[in-house]
Amino acid sequence: MHTRCVHAGRDDFARIGVHAPPIDLSSTYPMHDLAEGTADLDALAAGEAAPAHTAVYARLYNPTVARFESAFAELEGAQAAVAFASGMAAITALFLAPTDRGRHIVAVRPIYGGTDHLLASGLLSREVTWAAPHEVAGAIRPDTAMVFLETPANPTCALVDIADVVRQAGDVPVVVDSTFATPILQRPLALGAAAALHSATKFIGGHGDAVGGVIATSEAMARGLRQVRILTGGILHPLAAYLLHRGLPTLALRVHGAQAGAGEIARRLARHPAVHAVHYPGLPDGDPQRLLGRQMSGAGSLMSFELAGGYQAAAHVMESVRLITPAVSLGSTDTLIQHPAGLTHRLVPDAEREAMGITPGLLRLSVGVEGVEDLWADLSRALAGVGDADWDSSSEGAASPSNGELAAR
Ligand SMILES: *Cc1c(COP(=O)(O)O)cnc(C)c1O
């Protein structure tokens, strides 16, 4: 895998005489033969992977994006990959893609707040049934187009058994948001999923400087995604494609390095008196289904933890860290901390959010590749300020703010 990360999408370098991927920023392409141009346009509009003569127009095809896509498909063991302007653009295209099955989607909660809100909003005129992982079989209908799940799930880091959901779904395609795992730790297609989806903004780019999304899947499914991408204009920018491709050679190193630090931080947090609970698959009770080793080769570098002191304590920790960046997003070389109830999952209705375990005292930590002792020094200093559960009762009305209350802060 290390070798594939380094060399994927670079096989032709010796032949074309370069050592780094060329960037093509053209917005349009010259066309000297109208009949050929028309044929290329037809082929791209039908979802073909590449044109025979000219790319016609940058919203239809870009060679720098295509190079990143072929590299990424190789890492996921997929026939094809389709890259988008963001993870949400990829998710939107997925739900809009043509299907002969129907308008119904089964979604396994919890998932990323933006995905949850997109599905719940009705914007896409799709009908959604929310299901727990063991309820998928019962939620399938004759018009179900797909089952959508995320594992590890955001932000609780609960693992969903992909192979079990695939079994329950029968011939209905299962799509996995595998953003937290990356192809280094998890390969959903090998477990029977129809597609693996990523917010490439996170680990794939890895340096917090590019936004993108990518779906690795069969050539047949990729065709439908490309068609939607052309119509809705969600193609990845070539500069972002270059940065995402540049992230790949270090992907395995970064993922394994961050994971080693995360395991240590999780164990220390679990022993800390201000911390009520730590959700991390690598802790003894963090993987009740024993999916580590079977589905995921490691526990990753994302965790969430519950402060005994509730919202006030969580806010204090987020505001007190100095080395760690208080910010949404994840999978960067630097460590990030954020408050899911107030930020990433704010648009999920209060009752649903609480049912998913996203409480006011929950923080999500994305461990980077810094030295563990430096990270722990920062985190333990921030935690030292919050004390235990009694600390919170002195702060008026802070036990469990609703969305409205959080908005007022
Ligand atoms: C960030 C994220 C998304 C959305 O991706 P963007 O690139 O921010 O649009 C989707 N799923 C998961 C799990 C994420 O973490």
Side-chain angles (χ1 to χ4, degrees), residues 359-379:
T359 58
L362 191 75
L363 288 173
R364 188 188 73 193
L365 187 71
S366 169
V367 176
V369 296
E370 303 99 325
V372 177
E373 295 309 331
D374 296 326
L375 288 176
W376 183 247
D378 193 36
L379 203 50

Tab-separated table of all heavy atoms in Angstrom, residues 359-379:
chain	number	residue	atom	x	y	z
A	359	THR	N	-23.861	14.883	22.822
A	359	THR	CA	-24.328	15.646	23.977
A	359	THR	C	-23.589	16.987	24.053
A	359	THR	O	-22.573	17.184	23.391
A	359	THR	CB	-24.041	14.843	25.259
A	359	THR	OG1	-22.619	14.597	25.290
A	359	THR	CG2	-24.767	13.511	25.249
A	360	PRO	N	-24.088	17.910	24.895
A	360	PRO	CA	-23.443	19.223	25.006
A	360	PRO	C	-22.013	19.150	25.544
A	360	PRO	O	-21.222	20.062	25.335
A	360	PRO	CB	-24.347	19.972	25.987
A	360	PRO	CG	-25.660	19.286	25.914
A	360	PRO	CD	-25.361	17.847	25.636
A	361	GLY	N	-21.664	18.056	26.246
A	361	GLY	CA	-20.323	17.951	26.814
A	361	GLY	C	-19.342	17.179	25.939
A	361	GLY	O	-18.234	16.852	26.376
A	362	LEU	N	-19.748	16.876	24.700
A	362	LEU	CA	-18.918	16.044	23.820
A	362	LEU	C	-17.980	16.904	22.963
A	362	LEU	O	-18.411	17.879	22.344
A	362	LEU	CB	-19.810	15.212	22.900
A	362	LEU	CG	-19.106	14.100	22.117
A	362	LEU	CD1	-18.782	12.918	23.026
A	362	LEU	CD2	-19.968	13.619	20.940
A	363	LEU	N	-16.713	16.516	22.914
A	363	LEU	CA	-15.736	17.149	22.025
A	363	LEU	C	-15.189	16.090	21.084
A	363	LEU	O	-15.031	14.931	21.476
A	363	LEU	CB	-14.577	17.754	22.829
A	363	LEU	CG	-14.885	19.015	23.639
A	363	LEU	CD1	-13.678	19.382	24.500
A	363	LEU	CD2	-15.263	20.187	22.735
A	364	ARG	N	-14.899	16.496	19.845
A	364	ARG	CA	-14.258	15.574	18.910
A	364	ARG	C	-12.818	16.020	18.678
A	364	ARG	O	-12.564	17.204	18.484
A	364	ARG	CB	-14.994	15.550	17.574
A	364	ARG	CG	-14.481	14.452	16.629
A	364	ARG	CD	-15.074	14.573	15.249
A	364	ARG	NE	-14.497	15.694	14.532
A	364	ARG	CZ	-15.001	16.189	13.405
A	364	ARG	NH1	-16.086	15.673	12.888
A	364	ARG	NH2	-14.417	17.221	12.800
A	365	LEU	N	-11.925	15.051	18.735
A	365	LEU	CA	-10.503	15.341	18.584
A	365	LEU	C	-9.973	14.594	17.355
A	365	LEU	O	-10.152	13.384	17.234
A	365	LEU	CB	-9.769	14.875	19.848
A	365	LEU	CG	-8.284	15.231	19.972
A	365	LEU	CD1	-8.106	16.724	20.213
A	365	LEU	CD2	-7.650	14.452	21.130
A	366	SER	N	-9.338	15.318	16.452
A	366	SER	CA	-8.649	14.704	15.313
A	366	SER	C	-7.158	14.845	15.582
A	366	SER	O	-6.601	15.941	15.498
A	366	SER	CB	-9.042	15.416	14.010
A	366	SER	OG	-8.193	14.997	12.965
A	367	VAL	N	-6.520	13.745	15.958
A	367	VAL	CA	-5.116	13.793	16.347
A	367	VAL	C	-4.243	13.875	15.091
A	367	VAL	O	-4.442	13.124	14.130
A	367	VAL	CB	-4.753	12.558	17.205
A	367	VAL	CG1	-3.271	12.546	17.549
A	367	VAL	CG2	-5.609	12.538	18.472
A	368	GLY	N	-3.298	14.787	15.095
A	368	GLY	CA	-2.380	14.957	13.974
A	368	GLY	C	-1.096	14.184	14.192
A	368	GLY	O	-1.060	13.195	14.942
A	369	VAL	N	-0.020	14.640	13.567
A	369	VAL	CA	1.234	13.886	13.639
A	369	VAL	C	2.290	14.593	14.508
A	369	VAL	O	3.480	14.315	14.388
A	369	VAL	CB	1.800	13.594	12.223
A	369	VAL	CG1	0.853	12.685	11.454
A	369	VAL	CG2	2.027	14.881	11.434
A	370	GLU	N	1.829	15.500	15.384
A	370	GLU	CA	2.770	16.135	16.317
A	370	GLU	C	3.251	15.112	17.348
A	370	GLU	O	2.733	13.993	17.429
A	370	GLU	CB	2.083	17.282	17.071
A	370	GLU	CG	1.472	18.382	16.197
A	370	GLU	CD	-0.032	18.199	16.021
A	370	GLU	OE1	-0.490	17.033	15.944
A	370	GLU	OE2	-0.734	19.225	15.948
A	371	GLY	N	4.217	15.500	18.160
A	371	GLY	CA	4.670	14.642	19.247
A	371	GLY	C	3.573	14.480	20.296
A	371	GLY	O	2.909	15.450	20.672
A	372	VAL	N	3.379	13.234	20.735
A	372	VAL	CA	2.293	12.947	21.676
A	372	VAL	C	2.455	13.739	22.979
A	372	VAL	O	1.470	14.244	23.533
A	372	VAL	CB	2.250	11.439	22.011
A	372	VAL	CG1	1.174	11.146	23.035
A	372	VAL	CG2	1.996	10.632	20.763
A	373	GLU	N	3.682	13.853	23.470
A	373	GLU	CA	3.859	14.538	24.761
A	373	GLU	C	3.486	16.017	24.648
A	373	GLU	O	2.931	16.592	25.579
A	373	GLU	CB	5.296	14.373	25.261
A	373	GLU	CG	5.679	12.914	25.595
A	373	GLU	CD	4.690	12.215	26.530
A	373	GLU	OE1	4.032	12.887	27.361
A	373	GLU	OE2	4.563	10.970	26.413
A	374	ASP	N	3.770	16.623	23.509
A	374	ASP	CA	3.375	18.023	23.308
A	374	ASP	C	1.860	18.164	23.278
A	374	ASP	O	1.289	19.099	23.843
A	374	ASP	CB	3.979	18.567	22.006
A	374	ASP	CG	5.504	18.603	22.055
A	374	ASP	OD1	6.048	18.849	23.155
A	374	ASP	OD2	6.139	18.369	21.009
A	375	LEU	N	1.216	17.226	22.599
A	375	LEU	CA	-0.249	17.263	22.529
A	375	LEU	C	-0.859	17.063	23.905
A	375	LEU	O	-1.792	17.769	24.298
A	375	LEU	CB	-0.764	16.166	21.586
A	375	LEU	CG	-0.515	16.390	20.097
A	375	LEU	CD1	-0.991	15.179	19.299
A	375	LEU	CD2	-1.223	17.656	19.623
A	376	TRP	N	-0.310	16.096	24.643
A	376	TRP	CA	-0.882	15.801	25.956
A	376	TRP	C	-0.659	16.968	26.920
A	376	TRP	O	-1.528	17.289	27.734
A	376	TRP	CB	-0.316	14.495	26.513
A	376	TRP	CG	-0.957	14.172	27.824
A	376	TRP	CD1	-0.377	14.157	29.055
A	376	TRP	CD2	-2.353	13.848	28.038
A	376	TRP	NE1	-1.304	13.856	30.016
A	376	TRP	CE2	-2.526	13.659	29.418
A	376	TRP	CE3	-3.451	13.716	27.184
A	376	TRP	CZ2	-3.768	13.344	29.974
A	376	TRP	CZ3	-4.686	13.400	27.732
A	376	TRP	CH2	-4.823	13.214	29.106
A	377	ALA	N	0.487	17.614	26.803
A	377	ALA	CA	0.750	18.770	27.674
A	377	ALA	C	-0.321	19.837	27.437
A	377	ALA	O	-0.874	20.414	28.384
A	377	ALA	CB	2.146	19.333	27.392
A	378	ASP	N	-0.648	20.082	26.182
A	378	ASP	CA	-1.655	21.095	25.846
A	378	ASP	C	-3.038	20.675	26.338
A	378	ASP	O	-3.752	21.443	26.982
A	378	ASP	CB	-1.658	21.281	24.323
A	378	ASP	CG	-2.427	22.528	23.891
A	378	ASP	OD1	-2.361	23.545	24.623
A	378	ASP	OD2	-3.077	22.495	22.831
A	379	LEU	N	-3.395	19.417	26.038
A	379	LEU	CA	-4.734	18.926	26.385
A	379	LEU	C	-4.914	18.837	27.898
A	379	LEU	O	-5.944	19.251	28.452
A	379	LEU	CB	-4.930	17.559	25.731
A	379	LEU	CG	-6.339	17.063	25.469
A	379	LEU	CD1	-7.177	18.109	24.747
A	379	LEU	CD2	-6.272	15.780	24.643
